[in-house]
Amino acid sequence: MGRGSGSGRPTFFARVFVLVSRIPRGRVTTYGAIARALGTPRAARSVGWALSLAPQEDALPCHRVVDRNGFLSGGWHWGHPDVMAGLLRDEDVPFLDPYRVDLAACLWLPDEDDFEPRLPV
DNA sequence: AACATGACGGTAG
DNA sequence: TCTACCGCCATGT
């Protein structure tokens, strides 16, 4: 109820929030990856805008969303990028630089949920 | 209906 | 590899 979904079909923002809520702890994804998963590959900017308006009460892990290069482009939303970096470090997310995570090691793609592993890891 | 906004992405130099 | 530009999109006025 408070995600702009009052008129029936979920809005773009609402779908973004659902996806973000599924990002596993210790992993991160990108604005573009979310946009592609929603069927609008060119709407990366809109994804970022949606996150900037994410309701606090939803307690979404928006710190797990970075840009295509792993940089914490939304870091200032917490007052200072150090706060976002701290949240990620607490989850043992690997960093390449103070404000850049190692995407090669922790990138999570929404599609992964569609590939159910046949064997338990 | 047009214009401005904003936590992006791809490409060229 | 880094910077500058330009193109894309959903919303609110």
Side-chain angles (χ1 to χ4, degrees):
Chain A
M1 329 248 269
R3 292 147 216 66
S5 57
S7 14
R9 183 168 124 295
T11 63
F12 177 80
F13 282 15
R15 281 170 282 176
V16 169
F17 298 153
V18 170
L19 231 59
V20 171
S21 72
R22 292 178 178 158
I23 305 174
R25 179 186 174 73
R27 306 287 296 285
V28 303
T29 193
T30 69
Y31 302 94
I34 292 175
R36 287 192 293 277
L38 293 179
T40 51
R42 300 302 183 204
R45 298 191 72 173
S46 300
V47 172
W49 186 32
L51 287 191
S52 72
L53 300 177
Q56 176 70 49
E57 59 265 31
D58 284 6
L60 296 174
C62 16
H63 59 284
R64 295 174 190 156
V65 184
V66 299
D67 74 11
R68 59 172 168 171
N69 295 311
F71 286 104
L72 315 188
S73 56
W76 291 104
H77 183 75
W78 282 266
H80 191 288
D82 283 334
V83 179
M84 180 175 177
L87 290 171
L88 292 171
R89 287 182 184 291
D90 286 342
E91 302 182 0
D92 295 312
V93 170
F95 279 71
L96 293 177
D97 288 296
Y99 302 112
R100 185 184 194 185
V101 301
D102 184 356
L103 281 184
C106 66
L107 174 63
W108 174 82
L109 298 177
D111 315 329
E112 288 183 31
D113 286 345
D114 299 331
F115 298 138
E116 292 297 326
R118 313 293 168 65
L119 301 172
V121 188

